[in-house]
Amino acid sequence: MIYLYALIVLSSLGGGLALLLLIADRFLADYGPCEISVNDEEPFVVEGGCTLLEALYEQEIFIPSACGGQGTCGFCKVNVFEGGGPVLPTEMPYLDKSELADNTRLACRIKVKQDVVLRVKPEYLDIQQFRSIVIAAKMVTHDTRHVVLKLADEQEINFVPGQYIQVQVPSSDGITFRAYSISSPPSTKDEVELVIRLIPDGLGSTYLHEVEVGEEVIFTGAYGEFVLEEDVETELICVGGGCGIAPMRSIIRHIGDVSPQRKCKLFFGVRTMEDIMYLEEFEQLADEMSNFEVHYALSDPKHSSPWQGERGYIHESVAKHVNGDGNGNRQAFLCGPPLMIEAVTKVLEEKNVPKDLIFYDEF
Amino acid sequence: MMDSSVGGVAVILLAAILTNNILLSKFLGMCSFIAISRDLRTAWGMGVAVTLVTFTTALLNYGIYYGVLVKDAPLCGADLTYLTFLVLIMVIAGFVQLVEMVIERFSPVLYYKLGIFLPLITVNCAILGVNLLMIDSDRQFNLVQTAAYALGSGMGWLLAICLMAGLRKRLEYADVPKPLQGLGITLLITGLMAMAFMGFAGMVDI
């Protein structure tokens, strides 16, 4: 009998609490329909309670967000003039004084609770959503996969080398997205190639490592503000670490397409011989492009004695092969882990490469 | 059995704030105390949330404990006191969810500042501690005394965390030896504060 009482007491208590929470949820979390006006256009109506990033995504306004709306990348900046509420402490690390003054906010942190008036960069309105089919996939190292996506419905994507796309990734909380640099040249408009390194328990990399040839992948793009200097007199210095090779491959293949005589140096740093990728492809390009140099360096080649090339960290190679006379225009593009970016930036500045011509992408 | 006159209730309130400060005498609720005491305004918000949750859940749990769980209770005759822990934590967890919704609706800044610690109030041992201590059979608090004890305990926790936030603000300008920076010096100061609060010990006791 006592157990029956216990059961009745616990279940009625649990049920009562659940009912109370449901009622509270109904009244407290119900913000009703809210109007959102973007760039002075006709406002659209969304159901309140979602984030501004989600609301814009629903209206096919694709704001860049490399972290998938987690508030950790600081890419989803928009200017919110009305209805954004106070600036939150979680936004502060990503906003400087001038941005705070012009009402810049992170779209992923703002919950739509009332009518919102905002401005987004006009180029964001050109970003499209694409459906694609995986047509090829192969492992290029023990943990990195090369995936080729063919756009469906005869769509074409316009991008500049160095830009990235955001792939829709199914997760337990619905759909989220992850950013990947495009590694194919912009001349191929109906295909996109990606280089994906498997991160243990990583949502996006696991998905793209498991997706099979013939399956559909949805992505938006192209994002990124890096602008390649098209002047052929400008020497290009590309430095990549890990899967930071992806945008470099796009840039170099693009140069191979449009100005094969252009001066260009590629530095790629990995730990061991097992991590080397695309070396043969670049060496072949170096044969075709007379002013293109390839430097691969291994930082930890202990177990890879056959390696005849350079050893040490990649910034040491950069120091060795980039001259410091400061003659001629130079543009540098770095992609890799933060420590590598920091070390290479320092070396390049010592070599008189102007700071505003050093672009980087940390991950 | 405690004195249930107005004076007696005031003694319980004062004792819960000072002499029997739940944080400094029993060291309950330390994790959020250390994590949220960097900034006075956030500490104040957290303290108010803890006080509110402690006070309200203590009253709710008082009603449930004496109305349902104890032997020969008006709503259920069987002795269900062995379910005490389960029931207390269930009520606290449900109520914290409710507080979370209210704070998110009315103060998004506080909501984001408290971050993960808001749902973690659920497992703030100070709150479960107060809920368990109020039904301590030696004390036999009545409803008014329970309310005073719970309110006092919450306020005591609020006082301690605000004092600590003030001290840590000053510590930013202090020359703390490197190995002690951060958590180390915070724990040392907590110990010193606890000793200082022991100075109140002879005043009142419960």
Side-chain angles (χ1 to χ4, degrees), chain A residues 47-319:
Chain A
E47 194 57 41
C50 59
T51 69
L52 186 57
L53 187 70
E54 288 165 352
L56 292 171
Y57 206 85
E58 231 171 70
Q59 295 298 316
E60 303 206 332
I61 298 172
F62 304 111
I63 307 291
S65 167
C67 66
Q70 305 293 309
T72 55
C73 71
F75 285 7
C76 58
K77 287 177 183 172
V78 294
N79 300 91
V80 179
F81 301 106
E82 278 173 37
V87 180
L88 303 173
T90 41
E91 296 174 76
M92 292 304 270
Y94 304 100
L95 303 174
D96 61 30
K97 267 188 184 162
S98 64
E99 286 173 326
L100 284 172
D102 69 4
N103 298 314
T104 304
R105 302 287 303 272
L106 299 188
C108 70
R109 298 291 93 193
I110 295 179
K111 204 165 178 182
V112 179
K113 295 178 178 175
Q114 50 191 310
D115 295 352
V116 182
V117 177
L118 76 149
R119 184 173 289 280
V120 302
K121 288 183 185 166
E123 60 260 34
Y124 290 169
L125 300 175
D126 298 333
I127 296 170
Q128 287 174 276
Q129 179 163 296
F130 298 93
R131 283 178 49 239
S132 68
I133 304 291
V134 180
I135 53 164
K138 63 169 185 206
M139 295 299 285
V140 283
T141 70
H142 60 101
D143 64 351
T144 307
R145 194 184 198 206
H146 177 103
V147 176
V148 186
L149 304 174
K150 169 102 179 159
L151 303 192
D153 312 325
E154 296 184 352
Q155 282 181 298
E156 288 194 340
I157 181 167
N158 291 310
F159 63 96
V160 292
Q163 283 196 306
Y164 64 93
I165 58 167
Q166 290 186 178
V167 176
Q168 274 194 11
V169 181
S171 77
S172 52
D173 309 327
I175 285 171
T176 181
F177 28 92
R178 290 287 184 272
Y180 294 98
S181 289
I182 303 172
S183 90
S184 46
S187 53
T188 324
K189 290 189 184 302
D190 59 345
E191 275 179 25
V192 167
E193 292 174 33
L194 305 176
V195 180
I196 294 117
R197 184 183 206 170
L198 184 65
I199 312 285
D201 298 325
L203 210 58
S205 65
T206 310
Y207 167 66
L208 287 169
H209 267 252
E210 284 173 359
V211 71
E212 284 177 22
V213 172
E215 283 185 43
E216 186 183 67
V217 172
I218 296 173
F219 66 87
T220 56
Y223 302 90
E225 288 165 15
F226 171 70
V227 181
L228 182 70
E229 180 59 71
E230 294 286 356
D231 173 20
V232 290
E233 295 302 317
T234 304
E235 182 185 348
L236 204 62
I237 302 163
C238 299
V239 190
C243 56
I245 195 73
M248 309 306 168
R249 192 167 167 265
S250 176
I251 291 168
I252 287 155
R253 288 180 61 190
H254 171 67
I255 289 175
D257 282 346
V258 297
S259 49
Q261 297 306 313
R262 185 167 171 180
K263 268 191 177 175
C264 180
K265 290 188 171 85
L266 169 70
F267 297 91
F268 183 51
V270 287
R271 286 184 58 218
T272 63
M273 260 188 96
E274 287 82 61
D275 300 317
I276 291 177
M277 52 185 131
Y278 304 112
L279 180 59
E280 280 175 18
E281 183 182 314
F282 285 123
E283 280 177 342
Q284 200 183 335
L285 275 173
D287 290 340
E288 295 163 15
M289 297 157 66
S290 52
N291 290 320
F292 173 50
E293 291 174 25
V294 189
H295 304 281
Y296 272 48
L298 266 54
S299 63
D300 190 16
K302 269 174 271 171
H303 308 293
S304 47
S305 46
W307 177 247
Q308 299 294 320
E310 288 185 34
R311 290 166 185 241
Y313 287 107
I314 197 65
H315 65 272
E316 295 161 356
S317 289
V318 176

Side-chain angles (χ1 to χ4, degrees), chain B residues 167-178:
Chain B
L167 285 169
R168 286 182 83 170
K169 196 87 199 158
R170 292 191 163 229
L171 270 184
E172 283 174 19
Y173 305 102
D175 187 17
V176 181
K178 207 159 187 197

Side-chain angles (χ1 to χ4, degrees), chain A residues 326-356:
Chain A
N327 287 340
N329 297 329
R330 287 182 293 185
Q331 186 185 27
F333 186 42
L334 328 176
C335 186
L339 275 176
M340 183 210 93
I341 305 269
E342 201 180 305
V344 175
T345 309
K346 208 173 146 202
V347 169
L348 288 174
E349 281 178 22
E350 281 165 10
K351 299 279 180 186
N352 301 316
V353 178
K355 203 175 179 179
D356 56 337

